[in-house]
Amino acid sequence: MRLFGKQYTEHSDEKLMQMIAEGDQQAFTELYERYSTRLLNYFYRMLWKDREKAEDFMQELFTKIIHKPHQYNPERPFKTWVYSVANNMCKNEYRRAEIRKPTSYTLDEGIQVSDNGVDVSRKIDAGTFNERLMEELELLDEKKKETFILRYVQDLPIKEIAEMLDCSEGTVKSRLFYTVKHLSDKLKVFDPAQKELKL
Amino acid sequence: MSDKEYNNVPDIDVLLSKPFAELDKDEQQWVLETMGSEEAFEDLRLNHAYMMEQLDDLPVIQPRKETHAALLAEFPQKERRGGFILWMNSLATFLVPPGKPVYRKPAFQMAIACLLLIGFVWIANPGATPENDLLASANDLQQELEGAPAFVDKVELDYELLADNYVTEEEELADAERPVAPVDDEQEVLPLIAFDAGPPANTFMAYEAENEPAEITAAIEEEVAPADDVANNFLPEVSPGTGLSSGDYRANLEDLEAGDRVAMEEVLDESTTATNSNSNNGDNVVMDPNTRVPATTDDKFADLADNRVGNDAYKDEPAKLGEVKNDGGVETSEVIAANEVEMDGKKRNDMLLKEKAKEQQDALAAKQELEGRESENSRLEDAIAVERERDKVNNVTNETVTGTSTGNTENNNLAFSPQFDADLDFVQNDTMPSPLVMPDSAMFLGGTFTESPSVTPLQNGVYTITATDVSTAGTADGTVTINANGSVAPYTYHWSPTPPAPTNKKGRSLAKDKDMMKFFFTAL
């Protein structure tokens, strides 16, 4: 509880960044508490669920905020800016690792939503739906993956995602539609319709 | 697919939130074009919903604490600010901790405790309210203004004492039997005594005409008044027994007790010089013949100042010299004691008078003790009247010096330095002849004149005072009796003013509030 002095929790992200630029350590702590978990999970999803790498990337991102706070443009929303930085870091990491998967990579050839009950049973037995979903996400191309994670994991609005990725909202919608459609086709083996989902 | 085409893509979340039947025509058209059938759309809806549900259940990893610590370590170290604010926030956190019910917060509990304490105090002492305190203060003030009983009693007591002093005839008669005047209720007896201590043994009276102090210069240069004028000028001259008021006298006594006798001795010297002129006839009237009020010290100094002015004029006008030449010279005598009795003791209460009388008696006792010690080595002071008369004819060198040693004139050794001419009519070891002619004034003025008298020491003078009060108010029948002994008899008593029925040592028919008695006696 803080009754006296500055109420950091009431400050916006942009104000906190301004205070960090002035050397306010408390402002940095507040900003860290707001975004550390989200960024860590983002990095975690984007970087192959590598916890250590995600921690390193998250720490590197906040280190940039500490040492180069003036690179932030106050006229731009901080969330958009920080996710853009995080996304660029992931892209760089993709390049370094040369593990970028082609968009054409699919499981169509291996896992067919077919009558092959063995495959279905294997998949079901292999893990839960989430694990399979994450696996399918890892197989997506970079743009669809980041768009899907930002939208459905980070719960960011389409408009902000468009700003982060420096594209139009229609592009984000299109990427999301085709990604969902693709994942639905790949995960059809779970047959959600038979699980009595109530829509 | 181009961006334009993308712009036609609906929001997938909105689209999949509704069944196909609820979609508008454009949306249905778009779904049929992209998915091929309504069933494919419905399957997509189910899978999307299930996917979102599962995504919500994704585990959320938390950053390690050391990561934050490592980041703070990299934060630029700056001067800590807001220490007091941090402390206040800590205090606030303690008093109003978040996440607790109100009744469990220390601030709330302490507030309740304070209220209970105040309530207990109020119940235990219901009358101690600010309003009651203010009312009590007002009542006290009112009683004080109207006259508190205790205060009235004291006032009445004071009046009774005063009434006893002035009204009761029996008490006045009883007071008449009192032997000592200073404790009289109506008369404030302030005895003044002045002892002419004289110079110490091997008296050395010297003056240097050029470097001497102003008073001594004035004493040398001033023309001593003729014998007839001494009586009139006596009061203005400093006579410690007569010229000083009681207050001044007490101040002098205090000074004497403090060891500062210089001023008093100067006063005594001047007084002796003035009184000795008529010491043989004993006709000293120590009062102002016009006002019947003794001259004050200020008057004395004023006269001294006038004499000095005259001396300055004398220097400038040599023709005036000698006009006040004193043939008789100045006689040195000792004023053994003097007393002053003031009968203006109205509105003095008995306690105050007794205290004052006791203080005076103590002061006199100390004075007498001091005089007794000093008198052993004292000598009668011989006054040497030295008068000069410039040669009016030549107006230059010749100057007449008249030296007269009076009083104890035995074996006076008079000497001039540098030595005068041997032809001078001056015999040492004898009374200085008169006149002594000094042919060389410069020689005299630049030298010193000494006298070493060898006389018999005086005994210490002792006096007692016996006073009787007036019998009744308005009756002039008070008496004051002075008895002197010691020193050298006979004694001569002088009263001022002369009482209606005077005697040598007893003044009678003294009236209250009317006669201010001043007396002294001399012994030669």
Side-chain angles (χ1 to χ4, degrees):
Chain A
M1 172 170 283
R2 185 183 184 89
L3 298 180
F4 305 95
K6 301 173 182 176
Q7 298 291 334
Y8 290 97
T9 56
E10 298 178 357
H11 290 320
S12 64
D13 298 340
E14 293 74 18
K15 177 65 176 177
L16 291 175
M17 275 303 294
Q18 181 180 355
M19 296 166 70
I20 291 172
E22 296 173 354
D24 195 331
Q25 190 170 342
Q26 294 291 331
F28 173 78
T29 300
E30 174 64 23
L31 196 67
Y32 179 84
E33 291 177 355
R34 290 183 186 181
Y35 286 95
S36 60
T37 302
R38 284 193 283 183
L39 288 173
L40 177 63
N41 284 273
Y42 177 75
F43 284 121
Y44 179 77
R45 308 297 177 198
M46 293 292 290
L47 300 177
W48 317 288
K49 296 194 296 184
D50 188 339
R51 172 67 183 264
E52 296 298 328
K53 190 178 290 291
E55 288 276 357
D56 293 341
F57 273 67
M58 192 257 309
Q59 184 172 349
E60 182 181 353
L61 176 56
F62 278 105
T63 302
K64 291 179 180 178
I65 292 174
I66 291 173
H67 294 292
K68 300 177 181 179
H70 300 287
Q71 290 184 351
Y72 165 69
N73 183 7
E75 297 178 356
R76 189 179 178 186
F78 173 77
K79 182 189 291 183
T80 305
W81 176 78
V82 72
Y83 274 107
S84 299
V85 174
N87 190 51
N88 291 333
M89 292 173 65
C90 292
K91 288 179 180 177
N92 294 333
E93 180 62 19
Y94 292 154
R95 295 189 189 99
R96 283 194 294 268
E98 295 180 353
I99 58 171
R100 295 180 61 184
K101 301 296 182 181
T103 307
S104 60
Y105 173 80
T106 62
L107 296 177
D108 293 347
E109 296 177 357
I111 304 176
Q112 293 292 333
V113 183
S114 62
D115 297 335
N116 191 345
V118 177
D119 293 338
V120 173
S121 301
R122 182 179 59 85
K123 293 298 180 183
I124 294 173
D125 295 337
T128 62
F129 178 85
N130 285 335
E131 292 175 345
R132 181 56 192 273
L133 178 61
M134 292 299 107
E135 290 175 359
E136 292 297 333
L137 285 176
E138 296 298 331
L139 297 177
L140 292 175
D141 67 274
E142 176 187 340
K143 292 183 180 180
K144 289 182 179 178
K145 180 181 177 182
E146 66 185 10
T147 303
F148 184 87
I149 291 175
L150 289 174
R151 179 67 186 98
Y152 295 114
V153 177
Q154 299 294 326
D155 291 331
L156 296 177
I158 294 176
K159 183 179 179 181
E160 291 184 2
I161 295 173
E163 292 178 358
M164 293 174 193
L165 302 179
D166 194 18
C167 61
S168 65
E169 294 183 19
T171 302
V172 174
K173 292 177 183 177
S174 177
R175 289 177 183 175
L176 289 175
F177 174 76
Y178 287 104
T179 302
V180 170
K181 185 175 182 296
H182 172 75
L183 292 176
S184 176
D185 293 339
K186 296 301 179 183
L187 299 176
K188 196 173 182 179
V189 63
F190 292 98
D191 196 7
Q194 297 179 1
K195 299 181 182 298
E196 297 180 354
L197 286 175
K198 295 181 180 179
L199 299 178
Chain B
M1 188 177 290
S2 64
D3 289 343
K4 292 182 179 179
E5 294 173 339
Y6 290 156
N7 292 333
N8 296 325
V9 177
D11 188 348
I12 186 64
D13 297 323
V14 175
L15 186 67
L16 297 178
S17 64
K18 296 181 291 184
F20 183 81
E22 295 180 0
L23 298 176
D24 55 26
K25 292 182 179 180
D26 295 336
E27 291 175 342
Q28 290 178 353
Q29 183 64 31
W30 186 87
V31 167
L32 293 176
E33 290 179 357
T34 54
M35 296 184 181
S37 64
E38 181 180 350
E39 294 178 354
F41 174 76
E42 292 296 337
D43 290 340
L44 180 61
R45 286 186 62 224
L46 293 176
N47 291 334
H48 173 265
Y50 185 72
M51 193 183 308
M52 296 300 106
E53 183 181 358
Q54 297 303 314
L55 287 175
D56 292 338
D57 295 334
L58 282 177
V60 178
I61 58 176
Q62 297 293 333
R64 289 190 290 263
K65 294 182 179 179
E66 50 267 28
T67 304
H68 184 214
L71 289 171
L72 292 179
E74 294 185 6
F75 206 88
Q77 296 297 325
K78 292 189 176 182
E79 184 179 357
R80 184 180 180 183
R81 297 179 300 179
F84 177 73
I85 294 177
L86 182 63
W87 179 81
M88 292 290 288
N89 286 326
S90 301
L91 182 63
T93 304
F94 169 74
L95 294 176
V96 192
K100 285 186 177 180
V102 176
Y103 64 88
R104 295 188 62 183
K105 293 184 177 181
F108 176 79
Q109 294 173 350
M110 286 190 289
I112 294 299
C114 290
L115 290 175
L116 292 176
L117 181 61
I118 294 173
F120 175 76
V121 171
W122 182 79
I123 293 172
N125 189 13
T129 61
E131 293 77 8
N132 292 339
D133 293 341
L134 183 61
L135 182 59
S137 300
N139 291 334
D140 294 340
L141 180 61
Q142 185 177 3
Q143 290 181 1
E144 184 176 354
L145 294 176
E146 293 177 352
F151 181 73
V152 171
D153 290 341
K154 185 176 185 306
V155 171
E156 291 176 353
L157 179 60
D158 292 340
Y159 273 111
E160 289 174 358
L161 291 174
L162 294 175
D164 290 341
N165 290 335
Y166 292 99
V167 177
T168 306
E169 183 175 359
E170 291 77 7
E171 293 187 0
E172 288 186 352
L173 293 175
D175 291 340
E177 301 300 329
R178 291 183 303 177
V180 181
V183 298
D184 187 279
D185 294 338
E186 299 178 352
Q187 299 179 6
E188 182 181 6
V189 181
L190 301 173
L192 295 176
I193 183 168
F195 291 89
D196 187 357
N202 301 323
T203 299
F204 176 78
M205 187 181 80
Y207 63 86
E208 295 182 2
E210 293 181 352
N211 300 320
E212 61 200 1
E215 289 80 3
I216 299 177
T217 304
I220 294 172
E221 294 182 354
E222 73 180 351
E223 295 296 333
V224 179
D228 295 337
D229 297 332
V230 171
N232 294 332
N233 295 330
F234 179 74
L235 279 177
E237 293 294 334
V238 178
S239 176
T242 60
L244 296 177
S245 63
S246 58
D248 294 332
Y249 173 69
R250 284 195 297 273
N252 285 338
L253 283 182
E254 293 175 358
D255 293 337
L256 288 172
E257 291 175 355
D260 184 9
R261 294 179 52 83
V262 177
M264 178 57 82
E265 288 181 358
E266 290 179 359
V267 168
L268 293 174
D269 293 341
E270 294 180 12
S271 172
T272 303
T273 303
T275 56
N276 282 339
S277 60
N278 289 329
S279 60
N280 293 330
N281 55 20
D283 194 17
N284 281 338
V285 179
V286 192
M287 62 172 288
D288 190 330
N290 297 323
T291 61
R292 293 182 56 145
V293 175
T296 62
T297 305
D298 293 337
D299 297 334
K300 170 250 179 183
F301 284 115
D303 291 340
L304 286 177
D306 294 338
N307 291 336
R308 292 181 182 180
V309 171
N311 289 334
D312 294 337
Y314 166 78
K315 289 180 179 179
D316 297 334
E317 298 179 12
K320 296 181 179 179
L321 292 174
E323 292 179 359
V324 290
K325 183 175 180 181
N326 183 8
D327 294 334
V330 178
E331 181 182 9
T332 298
S333 65
E334 179 186 21
V335 178
I336 298 176
N339 289 291
E340 179 183 81
V341 178
E342 295 180 2
M343 299 176 66
D344 58 347
K346 290 195 301 183
K347 298 180 181 179
R348 302 289 184 92
N349 59 43
D350 189 33
M351 296 299 294
L352 181 60
L353 284 174
K354 288 180 179 179
E355 290 178 359
K356 289 183 177 179
K358 187 176 185 307
E359 292 176 358
Q360 292 174 355
Q361 289 177 348
D362 294 341
L364 287 174
K367 164 74 174 176
Q368 290 175 355
E369 182 180 359
L370 181 62
E371 288 290 338
R373 291 196 301 268
E374 293 186 352
S375 63
E376 297 177 358
N377 297 323
S378 65
R379 299 289 188 273
L380 282 177
E381 179 182 4
D382 288 356
I384 306 301
V386 179
E387 297 180 359
R388 297 170 299 177
E389 182 177 10
R390 192 177 295 275
D391 190 339
K392 299 175 183 174
V393 177
N394 299 322
N395 195 23
V396 279
T397 57
N398 291 335
E399 192 169 18
T400 299
V401 176
T402 301
T404 302
S405 177
T406 58
N408 296 274
T409 57
E410 298 177 0
N411 299 324
N412 283 338
N413 296 320
L414 303 177
F416 288 93
S417 177
Q419 185 62 48
F420 283 124
D421 194 322
D423 295 337
L424 291 176
D425 186 9
F426 173 73
V427 179
Q428 292 185 352
N429 300 324
D430 197 355
T431 301
M432 180 181 289
S434 176
L436 177 64
V437 177
M438 275 187 3
D440 189 354
S441 63
M443 196 173 186
F444 171 72
L445 293 175
T448 58
F449 174 71
T450 60
E451 178 202 20
S452 299
S454 175
V455 297
T456 303
L458 271 181
Q459 298 177 2
N460 188 20
V462 180
Y463 76 97
T464 57
I465 300 173
T466 303
T468 56
D469 299 332
V470 293
S471 59
T472 58
T475 302
D477 57 353
T479 63
V480 174
T481 302
I482 307 297
N483 291 317
N485 51 54
S487 185
V488 180
Y491 309 103
T492 302
Y493 301 90
H494 306 276
W495 294 88
S496 175
T498 302
T503 62
N504 281 340
K505 62 179 182 180
K506 186 174 184 179
R508 294 178 176 175
S509 302
L510 306 178
K512 186 189 72 172
D513 299 338
K514 185 176 181 180
D515 293 326
M516 178 181 291
M517 303 306 299
K518 184 188 302 178
F519 63 92
F520 69 94
F521 59 90
T522 59
L524 294 178

